[in-house]
Each structure stands twice: as structure tokens, then as C-alpha cells.
Amino acid sequence: MKNKIKPAKGKLGVLIPGFCGAITTTIIGGVEGIKKGEDKPIGSLTQMGRIRLGKRTEKRCPLIKDFVPLSELEDLVFGGWDIFNENLYESAKKASVLDRPHIERLKKELSSYKPMKAVFDRKYVKNLSGSWIKEAKNKMELAEMLRKDIRDFKKKNKLDRAVMIWCASTEVYIEESEVHSSLEKFEKGLKNNDPLISPSMIYAYSSIMEGLPFINGAPNLSCNIPALISLSLSKGVPLAGADFKTGQTLMKTIIAPGMKARMLGVNGWFSTNILGNRDGEVLDDPDSFKTKEVSKLSVLESILEQEKYPQLYGELYHKVRINYYPPRGDNKESWDNIDIFGWLNYPMQIKINFLCRDSILAAPIALDLVLFMDLAKRAGLAGIQEWLSFYFKSPMHAKEVYPENDLFVQLEKLENNLRHLMGETLITHLGKEYYENTAA
Ligand SMILES: NC(=O)c1ccc[n+]([C@@H]2O[C@H](COP(=O)([O-])OP(=O)(O)OC[C@H]3O[C@@H](n4cnc5c(N)ncnc54)[C@H](O)[C@@H]3O)[C@@H](O)[C@H]2O)c1
């Protein structure tokens, strides 16, 4: 496998729907600051993480970026689409994730980025309206316009490779239906303006058709439909999603595996949030909230496996609320009350109050995903990349298996995938004593 990975030569395009949003301005501002040597890539596994190789006695633990061939940050070229026509310096001020002195320090770099016109449909994001929007007779024509944008961007910046990552608003909740069931029906639907084809699906289709790996950072259905999964396999394009695992859900997937590991019961988990940025405003619409709610609710079921442990988790009541509260901006605050029980059924409680910065947690995830998805493409991997579940609230997975949500299993899976790609032995954690003391 190792010899089959194409080198990370030349520049890598990073194309982002949602170009003027909080996450995007935080990624690009961050990468620009890091390139200048003024900031550090904290939270990024590809930039700071190490991976153990071989036996513990070998003491081999290189940085991940020295172990697998990844693009350098200097080689990333950013571009994207948004419904607001403003440069990223203006957008970063509005998003107010980075503080003002920080933004001023990056003014020259951020001002140089401007979005391309977006593919947008207000029916899918009810609480936003913008004017920087493409117009066409039908959805297939919109896809062709996006595909031309991609080709032009690659040509202008002399790029061989690019990745697309959806960092745009959460679309309203829709379920998979007939038009999503095959490529033929989907393409017919694009031509007939089928209302069940959302903008994020048009971006995903364009990305795959142009050979770009596609990542979905939001919970909408987007690329997770049979038509696009089969297209990605036939085009040799990797897919990953959905919904970046930041804040409260990150905490959930750290705490819940611990409760289960110790066979402690959980009968209630109440999660509430206040959030005041544009994402919060979009999620204030019940149909967009429903998409997020489904994504946030799914994690506990698969970690706690109620059907296998009915005495411990059979009665679990799980509730998630998100409240739009403008004064907080991107500095989300979340509260979790967890009702647990132990030996002889005695009840206990855990309270978590996380004062996080959502996009500060999301930006390094997005960066890692871009670099790993480019690696996946160069290694010849196509379709759903389950080994990247680590980064998502509702990881895409094959229909016949349940998703893996436990953060620690997800990390092991990711690391073993890298070892496998590079021809290293997979780590099982069987100790030295097992091999030495076990009778043959
Ligand atoms: N911020 C986080 O930490 C976080 C964590 C997990 C998931 N997410 C998801 O990531 C997405 C982005 O989050 P954010 O905080 O940056 O939101 P944001 O509201 O700041 O940015 C979203 C941007 O997308 C643009 N947009 C909307 N529809 C578009 C379209 N069809 N084409 C192009 N641009 C479009 C909006 O104009 C806006 O500038 C959201 O869906 C959010 O739910 C965010």
C-alpha cells in the first residue's frame, strides 16, 4: 500500500461552501497565522499528534505528519462560495471568533480572500438571505457552474489536486427519498429541479464529478445518499461526514465510553446550549434544528448499546436543546446533567458546564480532514472513509454496520488505518508478557 500512495507534490486547493462563515474564517486565519510563525496549530492531530509504531520497546513515536505523506500548510490554497459578497477580513470581524487585535494582525491576508457566488435555496436555510447567488434554469446547470468554478480555480492557481469541505449553514431536515436512490434518478432530478435535491447535494455532486474528495461538516443529508455514494465509488473519490464533533458532543463521546467501560448505569442525560452566532440563528429555525438534533442524539445510542445492556441503559432519557442567545456569539456555553447509578442501584449525578469556543474546536478538525482526505485520494481510497469517524458527530458508515461513536475506538481506528496505509504492524495492545508467557 505504502508504495502506491502518490506523493503530496505541489499545491492543494481547499474549496469551501460557507466561505464567509465562522469556521472558515477561523481555519484560514489560523493557517495564515501559523504559516507566518505567529500562531500554533493546537487541536490538530495532523500537526501536533504522534503515532506509536511497532513494540513499546522500539520507542518509535514519530509525528503523524512525518509518518504519512501529507500536504504542508504552505501548499494549501483556499477558495470558496458564500451568499454574502464580502472579504474574509469583514467576515472574520462579524464572526468574532478571533479577537480584534488578532484579526487586525491578519488583515492583509484575510482581505485578499473573496467568495464566489453560491448555489443557495432559501427553502433549505430559512433564516438567511443573501444576494451573492448563482442563477440558472435548473439544478443541473447550477452544478455545471460549480464544476466550472472548480476547474477555473485549479487552473488559475496551477493546482493538480483539491478537496471540498462543506462549512455552510445547516440545511432543513430531509430524509432519503426516491430521487436520491440512484445516480440516474438524481441526475434526472437535477434537470427537473426536484425540490428534494438540496444545495449541499449539488455541491457534493459537482465535487465528486470533478474528482475532489468531499467532506460534510454539517449534519444535513448532503453526500450521504446512495446516488452520490455510488458515484464516489465509480469516480474513485473519498467521502466523509457528517457534522464536526466539537463542544458538547465531543464531551459526550469522551464521558459515555467511560461510564460503559465501568458498567455504570445511565438513566438520564439532559443537554442544553446557548449559542449566539449565525449558526445559532440558522438553528433557531425548527427545521434546521431538527437536522442538528438528530445528529446530536444519535451518539449515545451507539456508545451505550441499550439493547445489549437493558439493565444499565434501557431506561435512558436523552434530551438535547439549543437556544439562540445573541450576546454569546461563537462562545457557546453548554450544560449537561447526567443521572447515573452504581452498585446496588444508588443514584449519582454528573454536571458538566463547558464554556467552549465552537469554531476554535472546529477549525483544526476541518484542517485535519482536508489533509487526510487528500491522503486518502492519493492512496486510492474511495467512497465512505469510516476511519475518519473520529471527527464527526454522526459518522457516515456502511448500511450493514452501526456507526462507531466512541472517541477512543475512533482514534484507534484512525491510527491503525494510517499504520496499514504505511505497511506498519497494527497495534493490538497485547503485552510483551502475553507473547513470552503464553504456552504455545
Ligand atoms: N462552529 C462549529 O464549531 C460547528 C461545529 C459542528 C458543525 N458545525 C456546522 O458547520 C456549519 C458552519 O458553521 P459556522 O459556525 O461556520 O456557521 P456560520 O453561520 O458562521 O457560517 C456558515 C456560512 O455558510 C454560508 N452559506 C449558507 N448557505 C450557503 C450555500 N448554500 N452556499 C454557500 N454558502 C452558504 C452562510 O452565508 C455563512 O457565511 C454549520 O452547518 C454548523 O452547524 C459548526
Side-chain angles (χ1 to χ4, degrees), residues 426-440:
L426 305 190
I427 290 195
T428 60
H429 301 289
L430 285 179
K432 185 165 171 279
E433 64 289 353
Y434 175 85
Y435 294 108
E436 287 174 3
N437 305 344
T438 310

Side-chain angles (χ1 to χ4, degrees), residues 25-82:
T25 49
T26 312
I27 305 167
I28 298 180
V31 169
E32 293 293 354
I34 294 161
K35 283 197 307 198
K36 291 204 286 182
E38 292 171 357
D39 294 307
K40 291 197 177 68
I42 294 172
S44 161
L45 192 65
T46 59
Q47 304 305 301
M48 305 199 92
R50 290 182 177 272
I51 182 163
R52 180 189 135 196
L53 302 175
K55 300 194 177 107
R56 274 178 289 171
T57 44
E58 293 176 35
K59 299 197 166 47
R60 283 194 296 148
C61 200
L63 284 169
I64 288 177
K65 66 181 174 140
D66 295 336
F67 174 54
V68 286
L70 298 177
S71 275
E72 299 289 338
L73 299 193
E74 284 70 24
D75 288 330
L76 302 185
V77 183
F78 293 99
W81 302 265
D82 208 289

Side-chain angles (χ1 to χ4, degrees), residues 148-163:
K148 182 169 181 315
D149 286 348
I150 297 171
R151 289 194 297 270
D152 290 349
F153 182 79
K154 283 174 79 177
K155 200 164 159 202
K156 185 170 145 227
N157 293 291
K158 300 189 175 59
L159 310 172
D160 290 334
R161 304 160 2 253
V163 173

Side-chain angles (χ1 to χ4, degrees), residues 16-26 80-84 86 91 95 97 116-121 124-125 128-130 132 166-171 199-200 203 216-220 242-247 275 277-283 292 330 332 356-363 365 393:
I16 315 181
F19 201 57
C20 300
I23 298 187
T24 307
T25 49
T26 312
W81 302 265
D82 208 289
I83 64 169
F84 299 109
E86 58 190 19
S91 309
V97 177
M116 297 179 268
K117 277 190 178 175
V119 169
F120 183 72
D121 180 349
Y124 278 92
V125 184
L128 281 190
S129 67
W132 195 237
W166 174 271
C167 293
S169 311
T170 301
E171 296 175 333
S200 70
Y203 282 98
N216 179 18
N220 11 295
D243 206 4
F244 299 132
K245 177 148 82 175
T246 53
L275 174 65
N277 59 13
R278 197 185 278 151
D279 188 25
E281 192 180 349
V282 168
L283 295 175
K292 194 60 132 184
D330 198 63
K332 180 155 99 180
C356 78
R357 292 171 187 265
D358 228 16
S359 302
I360 292 294
L361 294 168
I365 292 184
K393 283 194 194 79

